Amino acid sequence: MKKSLSIIALSIIGFGLVSCKKEENKELQNSETIAPDSLSTAAPADSLSAVTPAPATGETVAPAASNQPLTTVALSESNFDFGNIKKGDKVNHIYEITNTGTSPLVISEVKPGCGCTAPEFTKEPILPGKKGKITLSFDSSSFDGAVQKFADVYANVEKAPIKLTFNANIQP
């Protein structure tokens, strides 16, 4: 009798999980019915998140994928070493990004790994053969010793996000 009840309970739970997945898929399909023309490429990335349903499982949501054609890029560097800096210094570094593809490069978001890093980036589409900039500003006030930080760059490239990193050795 106990085996029968546990099998029935597992079946009901399993059916409930399948039902939730179907509902999520319906929500996703409904959100995809928005006409691409209604989303401007100049819209801030956070306004696009309204059309992406949040997962029910507590997973993090990646920024909305760009509906732009994919392109390729080259970075001047993906890692920078600030070397020794004094605690409390605010430093920044500019990473150059070149569009090596045939479609315009659109950077939709630069998401730093923590609040100590602030990004700025080229907002307008970067034409093929042209360069854009991504600046990462780091506030060392809360750190001592060696640190390594990063920011993820979301753009219309095949292997997004692009990870930019930097190192610093914070001196008292």
Side-chain angles (χ1 to χ4, degrees):
M1 183 70 175
K2 286 184 181 181
K3 280 186 179 179
S4 297
L5 288 176
S6 59
I7 291 172
I8 292 171
L10 288 174
S11 297
I12 292 171
I13 292 171
F15 179 77
L17 292 175
V18 171
S19 299
C20 290
K21 283 290 183 196
K22 287 182 182 177
E23 284 299 317
E24 286 178 18
N25 289 338
K26 283 181 188 176
E27 289 176 19
L28 183 59
Q29 288 171 349
N30 289 341
S31 70
E32 291 172 350
T33 59
I34 296 172
D37 295 343
S38 67
L39 296 175
S40 167
T41 56
D46 56 16
S47 70
L48 296 178
S49 63
V51 297
T52 306
T57 59
E59 298 171 9
T60 58
V61 177
S66 172
N67 58 358
Q68 301 294 320
L70 296 181
T71 191
T72 56
V73 298
L75 291 167
S76 58
E77 61 198 329
S78 61
N79 184 48
F80 181 75
D81 188 355
F82 285 110
N84 294 330
I85 60 174
K86 286 184 180 180
K87 183 176 179 120
D89 282 355
K90 293 177 182 164
V91 295
N92 62 55
H93 181 70
I94 299 171
Y95 298 82
E96 243 181 32
I97 187 166
T98 304
N99 183 349
T100 58
T102 57
S103 299
L105 170 64
V106 178
I107 301 172
S108 58
E109 182 178 12
V110 177
K111 192 172 185 177
C114 75
C116 63
T117 305
E120 286 186 36
F121 58 94
T122 303
K123 305 271 192 291
E124 58 274 347
I126 302 164
L127 298 176
K130 301 295 180 186
K131 295 180 181 189
K133 295 178 181 179
I134 302 166
T135 303
L136 297 181
S137 300
F138 171 64
D139 181 352
S140 66
S141 300
S142 301
F143 300 95
D144 293 304
V147 295
Q148 182 174 23
K149 300 295 179 183
F150 72 93
D152 288 330
V153 178
Y154 293 90
N156 58 325
V157 295
E158 187 174 315
K159 294 185 178 180
I162 301 165
K163 190 169 291 288
L164 299 178
T165 60
F166 62 85
N167 305 315
N169 189 24
I170 316 300
Q171 304 289 305

